[in-house]
Amino acid sequence: MAALVEMDNIVKIYPNGVVANDGVSFSVERGEIHALVGENGAGKTTLMKILYGEERPTSGVIRINGNSVHFHSPQDAIRLGIGMVHQNFMQIPSLTVAENIVLGKEPTRRGLLDRKAAIQITEELSRQYGLKVDPEATIESVNVGMRQRVEILKILYRGAQILILDEPTAVLTPQETTELFKSIRTLVKQGKTVIFITHKLREVKEISDRVTVMRGGRVMGTLLTHEATREGLARMMVGRDVFLEVSKPPQVRGEKVLEVCDLTYVSETGRQVLRGVSFNVYAGEILGVAGVEGNGQTELVEVLTGLRPATGGEARVLGTPILNRTPRAVRLAGVAHIPEDRLTNGLALQATINENLIVDRYFRPPFRRGWFIDNNEVRRHGQQLIEIFDIRTPGGEVPVASLSGGNMQKVILAREFSSQPQLLIAAQPTRGVDVGATEFIREQLVEQRNRGTAVLLVSADLAEVMSLSDRLVVMYEGQITGVFPEAAKATEEEIGYYMLGVKRQSPEEMEAYL
Amino acid sequence: MWELVLKGIFSALFVASVLRISTPLILPALGGLISELSGATNIALEGIMLVAAFTGVVISAYTQNVWLGVIAGILSGVLVAAFLAYFHLYLGADLFLSGIAINIMATGGTIFLLYVLTGDKGSSSTLASKAVPVVNIPVVKDIPVVGTILSGHNIFTYLAFILTWLVSVYLYRTPQGVHLRAVGENPEAAASLGLNVRRIRLGALLLSGVLASLGGLNLSMAYLTLFQREMTAGRGFIALAAVFLGGRTPWGTLIAAILFGFFDALSNQLGSLAIPSQWVQMIPYAATVLALVVYSVRQRAQAIERARRFQEKHLAETHAAGD
């Protein structure tokens, strides 16, 4: 019998000449959980978008149940039972869970929307597949885990037999991930087939039956999961040996650099985002902040770097108050910032690399000469940093927008690391960059720490914070709910309980370690 | 002197006049609401009203049939809305700029055509245009006070209230209305479910064209029975303000529009006083600005209050957990 899904020799060349898939052949058997792994830019999402009808292949054949198919839109794919859960959820925040699930295919009674039927449909699906949701809650009021379950129910309602999940665990806590895996197993037991995109090798081992590894737009191989090792898969993904663990010399803790005391922040919509956050960061240490995204980490970083006003509390860098100052004043106090959202807060996309490299220092000598900017100095400076940080570009005069994601991140790193900061605040520094660049960024963070910089590292990647940090705090609903003086000795499971708010330490317990 | 004004305001006639004056705000505001919720705010309400007001007068004068005038007025307004939709949705022009261009064109175009047809650049007083009928509700009309307030309005006024209800049902109870709101809130998600974002926004803009046209026709075929240059006097924009002041809901929009109508009626009452008329005429517009400021301040205060309550509740919970 033919495989359920067969993609044969798929080539995808984008109009700008990027070859995303270069002769990819990929097949999925009925009832299996098939992991698709690879670095960012390896072409896995593109391949799945082709299978889901969102992108059209330049050449190649897709067969479902042995029949060749041509998709013009996702609707064609949905009709054949293929559904995809995207990384960014496709939902309408103000509508309820049930309304979102039936959207576009609503049950009606006399031309009007039948809300009762919608709720009933949702409850039935929810029960059948063990995906717990609250049908009458609005999407904006439920957490990420439930939003993801809504997304899965939505494609099941449309009759999906093949579910494509694009990095579904990226936003989940370890416990939520366990729940999700349980649901995936339930789905498969009921005859569904699951394609699971990820770059977390531990998850590949845990959930999948088979795994296909992609690199540079090609398939490097398909293996039975129980025959694969993490190291072997990593080598296939990157093409060389990768050090999954970061090695760092013992910590030499210096003076107190950042002192945060009872920091609060209320958003414009009146949400209490930070609720009395206090901690210190010392020279020569990396303090990691773990937590499910949306628990105030983003706002914490933005308040500390002058991008948002604080509502109350204090923060000092080596004695200088930094709250409610302009970003420039904060930077002049010795703070460097690798922002979470590079495209918005990290770079001026239409400006050149050289210009982006001086935005925090153009107003000072040697770049400023009287009323003007010394362009020779700017070029020299750019050239130097491009070499040191190995930014792959034809030159310093090209707009940053023309670089790849990893190289954009390097431009930011070059600027922030070369400012010789006292305090480095890094928010999600390796998000969206590939394994090779990730390794480089992590090494650089450790290098800064070894040189005596205080580093505040915020990351949604729990493995990353745990391996890089000397000390680790967990944020939950705008508060620090746990502190681990030796990050290396904590377990993911233990930290997960704090991330979910199941466990919390009392202020007295934490005091000595903050 | 002031007594006279107060007496005026607290009369049934004044309430009736508020309803009459609010009508050309409510109708375009409903149109503005629909387009706003679909994610393509109709900036050209003003121009559409003007074109419909003009067309209705001219066609009713030439055909001597009021309903042909109304229908032609609606069609002309929808046509203008279709232009906006075409520029924005299909040619990718900026919604704001296209809207403003249409408004300017409508002002100049109606004056030009008025001059061509009548030789007058000010009004269509030489054309024998028709007026829509006034509805006297049997029984109700004979009740004192209530009769004065509720009965004897032109059909557009009644239509405005009926349409508020219909728009509310449409937006919240029909699949099409939910689709429209979904497209406005997250077009990408809506598209991923097979909803045609462009077509839904086109529909919303055309529908807002119909509603704005009714507002324009109300001005020239009911409120007055002639066309005057620039007779919309910014109502299309005040209608948009009503949408936001009303919290982007049909009934909220209705109330906001009536509030603006109240100030408009008030300025009419004050016209009898020895205050420079420019000051009096300023009232509705100043009230609009003031209302929007009060609204946003109140929203902020509410947000802070919510935050405070949330915090208290949470503190209580933490204490309870600690005990």
Side-chain angles (χ1 to χ4, degrees):
Chain A
M1 203 173 82
L4 180 57
V5 177
E6 264 181 291
M7 300 180 80
D8 202 6
N9 212 9
I10 300 287
V11 175
K12 173 69 187 181
I13 303 170
Y14 283 103
N16 63 8
V18 172
V19 182
N21 287 162
D22 186 6
V24 173
S25 295
F26 174 70
S27 79
V28 179
E29 300 293 336
R30 185 182 307 279
E32 74 168 339
I33 303 175
H34 196 120
L36 185 59
V37 300
E39 291 190 284
N40 287 293
K44 29 186 214 304
T45 299
T46 303
L47 186 68
M48 287 302 106
K49 281 186 170 170
I50 289 172
L51 180 56
Y52 185 53
E54 274 182 325
E55 301 274 2
R56 284 204 227 167
T58 312
S59 69
V61 184
I62 304 172
R63 279 186 293 268
I64 308 292
N65 280 324
N67 302 319
S68 159
V69 291
H70 294 276
F71 295 149
H72 299 283
S73 76
Q75 269 60 51
D76 294 341
I78 290 168
R79 228 166 282 134
L80 286 179
I82 300 172
M84 183 160 175
V85 174
H86 292 80
Q87 265 178 294
N88 49 332
F89 301 142
M90 297 288 186
Q91 293 164 349
I92 315 297
S94 75
L95 298 185
T96 65
V97 165
E99 283 172 327
N100 265 284
I101 287 173
V102 300
L103 187 65
K105 209 185 155 194
E106 293 88 349
T108 54
R109 218 179 42 191
R110 279 179 280 137
L112 294 182
L113 183 66
D114 191 343
R115 288 199 185 128
K116 264 191 208 134
I119 290 168
Q120 209 181 334
I121 288 168
T122 304
E123 279 170 347
E124 267 166 30
L125 281 171
S126 169
R127 210 171 315 124
Q128 186 182 350
Y129 296 107
L131 292 156
K132 262 179 248 145
V133 294
D134 176 1
E136 289 174 75
T138 55
I139 284 292
E140 59 201 348
S141 71
V142 305
N143 65 23
V144 183
M146 191 183 292
R147 291 188 62 172
Q148 187 169 59
R149 295 194 286 278
V150 170
E151 207 64 6
I152 297 174
L153 288 173
K154 211 164 79 180
I155 61 175
L156 288 170
Y157 173 59
R158 284 165 179 72
Q161 294 299 322
I162 305 163
L163 290 87
I164 306 167
L165 309 178
D166 190 1
E167 303 209 11
T169 60
V171 291
L172 300 182
T173 60
Q175 283 80 356
E176 282 176 326
T177 301
T178 310
E179 277 293 306
L180 173 71
F181 283 180
K182 231 192 273 169
S183 306
I184 289 178
R185 290 196 188 98
T186 310
L187 286 167
V188 170
K189 241 177 252 154
Q190 302 195 18
K192 309 284 181 192
T193 305
V194 175
I195 302 173
F196 189 95
I197 304 180
T198 186
H199 57 242
K200 293 182 187 164
L201 299 177
R202 200 172 44 77
E203 295 177 351
V204 173
K205 290 292 288 178
E206 192 180 333
I207 187 79
S208 70
D209 302 315
R210 285 201 301 163
V211 51
T212 293
V213 181
M214 288 186 72
R215 181 170 86 221
R218 293 163 181 272
V219 168
M220 304 313 291
T222 299
L223 297 87
L224 291 171
T225 304
H226 66 87
E227 289 175 358
T229 63
R230 280 176 67 184
E231 286 69 24
L233 289 172
R235 208 176 308 119
M236 281 172 81
M237 275 167 70
V238 184
R240 61 182 164 77
D241 287 326
V242 183
F243 300 102
L244 292 172
E245 304 303 325
V246 187
S247 62
K248 52 178 199 253
Q251 178 188 8
V252 186
R253 194 173 187 179
E255 60 181 327
K256 193 190 284 178
V257 176
L258 173 67
E259 191 178 357
V260 178
C261 194
D262 208 22
L263 184 65
T264 56
Y265 171 70
V266 178
S267 75
E268 297 98 65
T269 56
R271 206 162 63 85
Q272 181 86 19
V273 183
L274 295 176
R275 303 187 294 188
V277 174
S278 304
F279 62 89
N280 300 314
V281 189
Y282 296 86
E285 79 161 349
I286 298 180
L287 175 69
V289 179
V292 179
E293 275 185 78
N295 276 286
Q297 301 95 313
T298 303
E299 289 81 1
L300 173 69
V301 168
E302 293 188 356
V303 164
L304 289 179
T305 51
L307 295 174
R308 278 177 200 267
T311 311
E314 277 185 83
R316 295 169 195 283
V317 171
L318 295 170
T320 314
I322 55 163
L323 287 189
N324 302 326
R325 300 296 165 93
T326 61
R328 182 186 286 190
V330 174
R331 283 174 173 276
L332 289 177
V335 179
H337 175 208
I338 300 171
E340 181 178 332
D341 185 348
R342 311 188 258 292
L343 301 185
T344 314
N345 293 330
L347 295 166
L349 292 179
Q350 297 309 319
T352 67
I353 297 175
N354 287 346
E355 286 165 343
N356 271 286
L357 288 171
I358 59 157
V359 282
D360 64 333
R361 57 197 73 160
Y362 68 91
F363 49 86
R364 283 186 300 185
F367 304 103
R368 200 186 95 171
R369 238 181 15 194
W371 291 69
F372 299 100
I373 286 176
D374 183 344
N375 274 316
N376 288 327
E377 183 57 29
V378 172
R379 267 193 294 276
R380 198 198 55 73
H381 172 259
Q383 198 50 48
Q384 194 186 347
L385 290 181
I386 287 171
E387 273 164 34
I388 296 175
F389 286 87
D390 190 26
I391 301 167
R392 306 279 167 83
T393 167
E397 300 294 335
V398 302
V400 163
S402 69
L403 300 179
S404 69
N407 278 300
M408 284 189 191
Q409 185 73 322
K410 282 187 191 167
V411 173
I412 298 176
L413 294 179
R415 181 180 67 219
E416 303 303 328
F417 287 154
S418 64
S419 70
Q420 285 156 356
Q422 304 293 328
L423 170 69
L424 173 65
I425 299 178
Q428 320 288 1
T430 59
R431 169 170 298 170
V433 293
D434 58 43
V435 174
T438 297
E439 207 180 4
F440 174 79
I441 291 166
R442 289 181 181 167
E443 278 167 15
Q444 287 292 321
L445 287 172
V446 173
E447 174 62 25
Q448 285 290 324
R449 156 199 182 261
N450 296 345
R451 269 194 251 160
T453 310
V455 179
L456 179 67
L457 170 69
V458 178
S459 175
D461 183 343
L462 188 51
E464 174 170 278
V465 249
M466 287 181 64
S467 64
L468 285 177
S469 307
D470 298 301
R471 217 156 38 100
L472 190 132
V473 297
V474 180
M475 275 188 83
Y476 175 71
E477 292 195 341
Q479 286 179 320
I480 290 179
T481 54
V483 51
F484 299 86
E486 284 176 80
K489 288 193 181 158
T491 64
E492 278 199 24
E493 198 189 353
E494 178 73 4
I495 293 173
Y497 285 125
Y498 286 89
M499 288 167 69
L500 276 175
V502 176
K503 279 192 182 180
R504 62 164 65 215
Q505 298 167 3
S506 72
E508 294 73 33
E509 280 177 84
M510 292 193 283
E511 205 178 348
Y513 302 113
L514 285 172
Chain B
M1 179 174 80
W2 283 100
E3 280 162 43
L4 206 72
V5 173
L6 285 177
K7 232 174 164 177
I9 291 176
F10 288 108
S11 70
L13 270 174
F14 180 76
V15 178
S17 80
V18 169
L19 294 183
R20 198 171 62 240
I21 292 172
S22 303
T23 305
L25 291 173
I26 297 169
L27 289 165
L30 290 173
L33 174 71
I34 288 175
S35 65
E36 159 70 18
L37 289 178
S38 83
T41 314
N42 190 346
I43 310 288
L45 292 175
E46 178 85 0
I48 293 170
M49 289 174 77
L50 209 50
V51 168
F54 175 79
T55 312
V57 163
V58 170
I59 299 297
S60 76
Y62 281 96
T63 61
Q64 284 299 304
N65 181 323
V66 60
W67 301 115
L68 283 179
V70 168
I71 289 166
I74 293 173
L75 287 179
S76 69
V78 170
L79 188 69
V80 176
F83 271 118
L84 178 68
Y86 180 65
F87 293 151
H88 173 56
L89 299 173
Y90 294 86
L91 299 181
D94 183 85
L95 183 59
F96 226 87
L97 295 180
S98 328
I100 289 171
I102 284 177
N103 287 334
I104 294 171
M105 222 156 70
T107 308
T110 48
I111 296 171
F112 171 71
L113 289 176
L114 184 66
Y115 181 70
V116 168
L117 293 175
T118 68
D120 187 340
K121 287 183 193 170
S123 83
S124 68
S125 52
T126 55
L127 293 176
S129 64
K130 295 286 191 180
V132 296
V134 160
V135 180
N136 286 306
I137 311 172
V139 187
V140 175
K141 74 178 195 305
D142 300 321
I143 307 170
V145 186
V146 177
T148 317
I149 294 174
L150 292 184
S151 182
H153 293 291
N154 70 70
I155 52 164
F156 288 116
T157 301
Y158 298 108
L159 207 54
F161 286 84
I162 294 167
L163 281 170
T164 306
W165 177 73
L166 281 178
V167 165
S168 173
V169 170
Y170 169 70
L171 286 175
Y172 297 100
R173 296 302 315 275
T174 68
Q176 292 76 17
V178 176
H179 294 174
L180 185 146
R181 289 190 294 137
V183 162
E185 216 174 304
N186 189 347
E188 219 190 334
S192 80
L193 295 172
L195 302 180
N196 187 331
V197 175
R198 203 147 67 167
R199 200 179 303 153
I200 288 172
R201 285 187 173 158
L202 172 68
L205 280 173
L206 296 182
L207 209 51
S208 83
V210 172
L211 288 158
S213 299
L214 292 175
L217 291 167
N218 174 69
L219 285 175
S220 67
M221 298 180 71
Y223 193 73
L224 299 178
T225 48
L226 52 75
F227 179 81
Q228 274 177 349
R229 62 183 292 169
E230 291 160 37
M231 79 184 304
T232 45
R235 284 185 178 84
F237 293 106
I238 293 185
L240 277 182
V243 172
F244 292 101
L245 187 64
R248 301 165 88 233
T249 63
W251 296 105
T253 301
L254 175 80
I255 290 166
I258 292 176
L259 184 74
F260 292 145
F262 167 81
F263 283 107
D264 217 342
L266 184 68
S267 78
N268 287 350
Q269 284 287 319
L270 294 176
S272 56
L273 299 182
I275 304 172
S277 64
Q278 289 85 348
W279 283 97
V280 174
Q281 283 161 9
M282 222 166 69
I283 289 176
Y285 305 98
T288 307
V289 173
L290 198 70
L292 287 173
V293 170
V294 168
Y295 172 71
S296 75
V297 168
R298 230 196 64 206
Q299 261 203 331
R300 254 188 97 86
Q302 274 179 346
I304 291 167
E305 175 61 21
R306 263 202 309 276
R308 197 183 60 78
R309 255 179 289 149
F310 181 82
Q311 193 173 11
E312 271 174 11
K313 191 178 131 217
H314 185 84
L315 281 177
E317 275 169 12
T318 325
H319 282 302
D323 289 344

